[in-house]
Amino acid sequence: MIEKDLIGRGIYNERVLYAFSKVPREEFVPPQYKHLAYEDYPLPIGEGQTISQPYMVAIMLQEMHLKGDEKVLEVGAGSGYVVALLAEICREVWGIERIASLAEQARERLQKLGYTNAHIIIGDGSKGLPEQAPFDAILVSAAGRRVPPALWEQLAEGGRLIIPLENEYSQILTVIEKKEGKMRKREAGPCLFVPLIEEE
Ligand code: SAH
């Protein structure tokens, strides 16, 4: 998978490739899908949700430009797979998942695999995690109609926020940077994610 679907399609960041080489994706999918764990597509994880496609995750991680000392947030932790990848290549990771059963399974997996710098919180990730902010990078693993204001506020100066943004027709992976408090936005191609649920 790493050779063919990641390097072969333009993923070059050494830290990102290292993370993929370390984290066993088969531990994050239901038993009946283990034989498909290293195919490059999303797979069902229960509750109508999916573990994301590896190539898309790799693009998002590459866009985060991580060096190793960051504190990061993932919104929509699902299976916990991306939290584990992040835990390999940055200092501290916080993942938020709104579906409690998924969050609990993710927690168990991360514990079993021995990650001590990764934490899963149950809740609405569109509100971020003010008590742990600011974050050097934020990854949103579900498609939103806008950049949730709380996430923008909780992004550190110089930080990057990666989010799939959707309109009626499509979803675009969007890279947002905070430079001197101002928003810089760049589109990084089409993508397909489950919806980000913003609770009122
Ligand atoms: N990174 C995960 C992706 C799971 S799919 C993985 O690879 O396993 C996206 C997840 O986002 C779903 O589990 C869904 O329940 C969750 N989600 C959607 N809206 C959310 C919100 N507002 N807060 C937290 N999680 C949310």
Side-chain angles (χ1 to χ4, degrees):
M1 180 184 89
I2 292 177
E3 287 291 332
K4 178 167 141 285
D5 299 312
L6 304 187
I7 299 172
R9 294 176 68 194
I11 303 299
Y12 54 83
N13 183 287
E14 301 270 328
R15 305 183 69 82
V16 173
L17 295 170
Y18 169 80
F20 276 92
S21 76
K22 293 286 283 190
V23 181
R25 192 168 182 251
E26 78 265 16
E27 297 291 335
F28 293 83
V29 301
Q32 66 270 34
Y33 295 120
K34 283 201 192 297
H35 65 295
L36 300 174
Y38 297 100
E39 300 296 333
D40 189 32
Y41 36 75
L43 292 167
I45 53 170
E47 310 283 353
Q49 308 302 323
T50 54
I51 181 171
S52 308
Q53 179 199 3
Y55 172 65
M56 187 51 66
V57 173
I59 291 187
M60 293 170 111
L61 296 181
Q62 189 159 275
E63 290 288 359
M64 290 172 87
H65 291 203
L66 298 169
K67 301 270 185 288
D69 192 36
E70 296 87 355
K71 181 175 187 179
V72 307
L73 175 70
E74 190 202 9
V75 174
S79 67
Y81 180 56
V82 177
V83 171
L85 292 168
L86 286 167
E88 292 287 351
I89 53 173
C90 61
R91 177 166 50 87
E92 193 180 342
V93 191
W94 292 81
I96 312 184
E97 171 53 52
R98 60 183 289 276
I99 300 177
S101 62
L102 295 180
E104 274 149 21
Q105 290 177 62
R107 236 179 230 157
E108 276 169 31
R109 291 178 179 124
L110 293 167
Q111 196 178 10
K112 183 179 148 200
L113 292 170
Y115 290 104
T116 53
N117 60 339
H119 317 273
I120 302 279
I121 303 289
I122 301 170
D124 177 5
S126 67
K127 299 190 170 58
L129 204 56
E131 59 275 29
Q132 291 295 336
F135 295 98
D136 302 302
I138 300 177
L139 177 56
V140 183
S141 290
R145 296 220 150 233
R146 60 169 188 169
V147 177
L151 297 185
W152 170 251
E153 278 161 30
Q154 292 171 34
L155 183 66
E157 171 58 32
R160 292 184 156 223
L161 190 163
I162 317 294
I163 181 170
L165 287 177
E166 68 176 348
N167 57 34
E168 293 171 66
Y169 309 107
S170 62
Q171 295 182 4
I172 309 278
L173 185 64
T174 309
V175 179
I176 285 164
E177 280 183 83
K178 193 181 265 194
K179 283 269 160 76
E180 289 161 10
K182 295 207 181 69
M183 193 184 282
R184 272 205 213 157
K185 228 177 186 182
R186 178 166 57 80
E187 296 188 342
C191 58
L192 192 56
F193 282 86
V194 300
L196 177 71
I197 314 283
E198 282 201 55
E199 283 149 27
E200 281 315 316

